[in-house]
Amino acid sequence: ARSTFSQDCMEGLHVFQHMHDQGIGTLSGMFYCRWAEAVVQADTEQTTQALEVVNRGIAAGAQPLEYLQKAQRRIEEFAVTRGARSAQNQYTGPFPHSQHSGPIDTQ
């Protein structure tokens, strides 16, 4: 059966949760950033949940801390501005989908 993008995203969230439960990636800032990104991709209204994921990483002492702090700011900014973006039909989400090496645009 063919799955939808939404279903694929939800399955991805289960993978992140399972990895976290098994202690896999829990000290990697990138792990939490990607998890938060997957949360928002699955449902753009879930910025609170995405922030909770990032805060888990901060509480766990994941590194680099800068990735997590930047993700936190991007999610908060996205939550404030998403109404204007959706009105313009220009969704980009809090994480840019560009060809950079990490989940956070460093420029």
Side-chain angles (χ1 to χ4, degrees):
R2 188 171 178 220
S3 64
T4 66
F5 177 74
S6 178
Q7 288 171 322
D8 291 343
C9 287
M10 291 306 294
E11 289 175 16
L13 296 177
H14 294 295
V15 170
F16 280 109
Q17 184 64 56
H18 178 73
M19 289 176 65
H20 183 267
D21 293 347
Q22 298 301 310
I24 300 168
T26 57
L27 295 179
S28 169
M30 178 115 29
F31 171 78
Y32 293 99
C33 289
R34 293 291 188 198
W35 187 359
E37 182 177 10
V39 167
V40 175
Q41 284 182 344
D43 182 353
T44 60
E45 298 296 319
Q46 294 298 319
T47 54
T48 300
Q49 183 181 356
L51 280 172
E52 289 173 4
V53 168
V54 171
N55 288 332
R56 271 191 199 183
I58 292 170
Q63 295 294 320
L65 180 59
E66 296 78 26
Y67 274 13
L68 296 164
Q69 292 169 330
K70 196 169 224 182
Q72 197 174 43
R73 284 190 303 274
R74 283 195 167 280
I75 293 166
E76 289 168 351
E77 290 168 3
F78 174 71
V80 170
T81 62
R82 77 172 161 236
R85 285 187 182 158
S86 59
Q88 296 171 5
N89 200 18
Q90 295 178 350
Y91 169 73
T92 59
F95 302 95
H97 299 288
S98 62
Q99 298 294 326
H100 56 79
S101 60
I104 307 301
D105 189 0
T106 56
Q107 298 176 359

